[in-house]
Amino acid sequence: MFEIILQEFKKIYGTDLNIEPTKFFAPGRVNLIGEHTDHEGGNVFPCAINLGIYALANLRPGNSVRLCSLNFDENKTPFEINFSDIKLQDSIKWVNYPLGVINILQNLGHKFNSGIDILYYGNLPDGAGLSSSAAIEVLTARIFNELYNLNLDGVDLAKISQRAENEFVGMHCGIMDQFAVSMGKKNNAVLLNCSSLKYSYAPLNLDSCKIIITNSNVQHSLAGSEYNLRREQCENALKDLQTVKNIKCLCDLTPEEFENLSGSIKNPESFKRAKHVIYENARTLNATEKLKAGDLKAFGKLMDESHISLRDYYQVTIFELDTLAELAWKIPGVYGSRMTGGGFGGCTVSIVDKNIIDEFKNSVGENYKKSTGRSASFYIVDTSDGANKIL
Ligand code: GLA
């Protein structure tokens, strides 16, 4: 992989490199359960996957950043900007993710005393909800950390990347994606409490199964505006609940407490959003216990319930994602299946017996085409470590 990127790097940034550029990789992520709980102080359970973004980076004399992507820049002309001039770009959208990270680093007082060249290449499908934006953010943060010796740890890099997305790009996401991309661990999922940022790893003993990600091939374009709207509705529910109980976030409540207090929520939509969030939070803790106990069946059932709640209460699933999940549920050997990520397009994640992978692909693929007229794509993924330098 890196050989091809290196050739391109030399063509784009000059062949007379004294120092070989440093190699980096940041994974994408798939969330197994705990959807739309991160922004409400709840628990999530994602893992980093072996699809992601590669980069080569080198320092050079000067005071500008040059950024180029083999995915987005067809004519391979790098985007160049001075460190003193970092601002949101209207014409080239993808650069806003790395620029956001640089901007936050600068706001935190970091100074860069030489220029930098970065070339990115990713194999994560775009707009599929597998965190390509978090991957490029955390990757950039990791590159800066290593090459400018910033001495930040993986949690810092996740927080900085989330701030880049919130404050620079304007998407009010929680911390799940950036955390999973930065702190993921091979063969494990991360149980993260998004309120305290306490986390632990849970081994994914999936010897007899595979994680299959199915792409609906509907790009989650509505995701930004609808996402922010759902967050507002959650905030409204929280305000109403705070009139009857002293809580900091929705996930401070158990489902039982919610049932007793939910009469205080005035708006019916806000009620539904809060109901999803609070039950999903409890479901996530329950699911991780089931997984630790080796009960994949129970884990999978909770995944299915998560999808139903996202469909009926949080209302982010769309017809194509419901179709994919329902088709998967019908197949013996599928432990569980649900939409993953923000919703409004993107992917489902399914835990599938190793022996029926072809059957799964054929059956879901054909019937999805019949119902929606669209072709699904399948990725059989492995888990991965978080973003890092590659030696
Ligand atoms: C997107 C956001 C995350 C999280 C998920 C939903 O991926 O970036 O912070 O809220 O949606 O769980």
Side-chain angles (χ1 to χ4, degrees):
M1 181 63 76
F2 280 112
E3 264 164 42
I4 302 168
I5 312 176
L6 182 60
Q7 279 171 18
E8 295 296 338
F9 190 99
K10 287 182 176 164
K11 275 192 225 153
I12 293 166
Y13 295 121
T15 45
D16 54 341
L17 297 174
N18 298 329
I19 313 166
E20 284 278 297
T22 312
K23 304 178 187 117
F24 294 87
F25 174 72
R29 69 93 189 90
V30 65
N31 189 20
L32 298 176
I33 195 160
E35 212 67 85
H36 285 288
T37 47
D38 64 345
H39 43 78
E40 307 309 317
N43 295 289
V44 294
F45 194 53
C47 55
I49 58 175
N50 60 342
L51 295 173
I53 307 181
Y54 300 81
L56 285 178
N58 231 353
L59 297 183
R60 62 167 159 74
N63 48 15
S64 69
V65 189
R66 291 192 289 185
L67 304 168
C68 191
S69 159
L70 294 177
N71 301 86
F72 296 117
D73 300 320
E74 271 166 32
N75 57 10
K76 296 179 189 164
T77 309
F79 168 86
E80 180 163 11
I81 194 164
N82 210 289
F83 273 120
S84 57
D85 202 24
I86 304 286
K87 57 176 172 296
L88 201 69
Q89 303 298 308
D90 289 331
S91 50
I92 318 174
K93 297 275 183 234
W94 77 266
V95 297
N96 287 320
Y97 298 99
L99 293 183
V101 169
I102 299 168
N103 177 258
I104 300 295
L105 286 171
Q106 288 178 324
N107 290 347
L108 290 170
H110 295 288
K111 303 230 168 0
F112 309 112
N113 50 11
S114 60
I116 187 167
D117 293 333
I118 310 180
L119 178 62
Y120 301 94
Y121 170 71
N123 56 9
L124 267 177
D126 205 33
L130 300 177
S131 290
S132 51
S133 14
I136 195 165
E137 288 156 2
V138 174
L139 183 59
T140 307
R142 178 56 75 182
I143 292 170
F144 272 67
N145 189 49
E146 300 299 318
L147 298 190
Y148 293 103
N149 297 315
L150 306 183
N151 254 322
L152 299 165
D153 65 23
V155 176
D156 295 330
L157 300 182
K159 286 188 196 162
I160 288 164
S161 300
Q162 184 204 12
R163 282 188 60 188
E165 183 119 7
N166 292 169
E167 296 169 29
F168 195 83
V169 180
M171 161 85 175
H172 300 148
C173 62
I175 196 158
M176 170 173 72
D177 301 348
Q178 290 79 9
F179 199 96
V181 167
S182 186
M183 299 297 293
K185 188 167 159 189
K186 199 169 167 52
N187 296 323
N188 286 265
V190 200
L191 175 63
L192 169 69
N193 181 291
C194 298
S195 187
S196 63
L197 291 194
K198 282 203 179 121
Y199 63 97
S200 58
Y201 294 105
L204 275 181
N205 297 321
L206 298 178
D207 296 342
S208 58
C209 319
K210 278 282 177 196
I211 299 173
I212 304 190
I213 296 173
T214 309
N215 192 345
S216 66
N217 285 319
V218 178
Q219 294 233 343
H220 62 169
S221 52
L222 260 179
S225 53
E226 289 290 336
Y227 187 96
N228 291 347
L229 176 63
R230 295 291 180 288
R231 283 204 64 167
E232 267 174 45
Q233 293 166 332
C234 288
E235 259 164 51
N236 289 337
L238 177 64
K239 274 192 204 134
D240 288 344
L241 287 163
Q242 282 170 330
T243 61
V244 290
K245 185 154 172 126
N246 185 11
I247 51 170
K248 280 211 202 70
C249 56
L250 286 181
C251 291
D252 281 347
L253 292 181
T254 63
E256 294 72 30
E257 287 169 324
F258 174 73
E259 292 304 336
N260 289 333
L261 303 172
S262 65
S264 63
I265 304 176
K266 294 185 207 89
N267 182 303
E269 302 238 294
S270 296
F271 163 80
K272 284 198 270 185
R273 309 308 182 232
K275 180 158 176 139
H276 163 75
V277 167
I278 291 163
Y279 276 77
E280 178 77 353
N281 187 41
R283 200 160 26 236
T284 304
L285 291 176
N286 190 0
T288 53
E289 287 308 314
K290 297 288 185 258
L291 190 74
K292 277 188 207 151
D295 190 349
L296 259 191
K297 249 190 166 171
F299 182 80
K301 192 159 174 288
L302 291 164
M303 287 175 75
D304 299 351
E305 283 173 18
S306 163
H307 183 94
I308 292 166
S309 175
L310 288 157
R311 181 189 70 194
D312 297 346
Y313 294 115
Y314 210 70
Q315 298 184 302
V316 291
T317 57
I318 72 169
F319 173 67
E320 285 82 352
L321 291 172
D322 290 336
T323 305
L324 285 177
E326 281 160 25
L327 289 171
W329 294 340
K330 285 190 196 144
I331 305 174
V334 174
Y335 286 90
S337 186
R338 56 181 287 277
M339 63 147 267
T340 184
F344 292 100
C347 297
T348 58
V349 55
S350 311
I351 311 275
V352 180
D353 188 302
K354 261 186 187 157
N355 299 318
I356 63 143
I357 290 175
D358 286 339
E359 185 193 331
F360 178 92
K361 285 181 8 191
N362 293 337
S363 167
V364 173
E366 273 169 32
N367 289 311
Y368 180 67
K369 180 103 204 190
K370 267 191 217 149
S371 302
T372 65
R374 291 176 185 273
S375 300
S377 315
F378 299 90
Y379 318 107
I380 298 163
V381 293
D382 281 321
T383 51
S384 158
D385 285 325
N388 223 331
K389 187 158 87 176
I390 307 290
L391 298 172

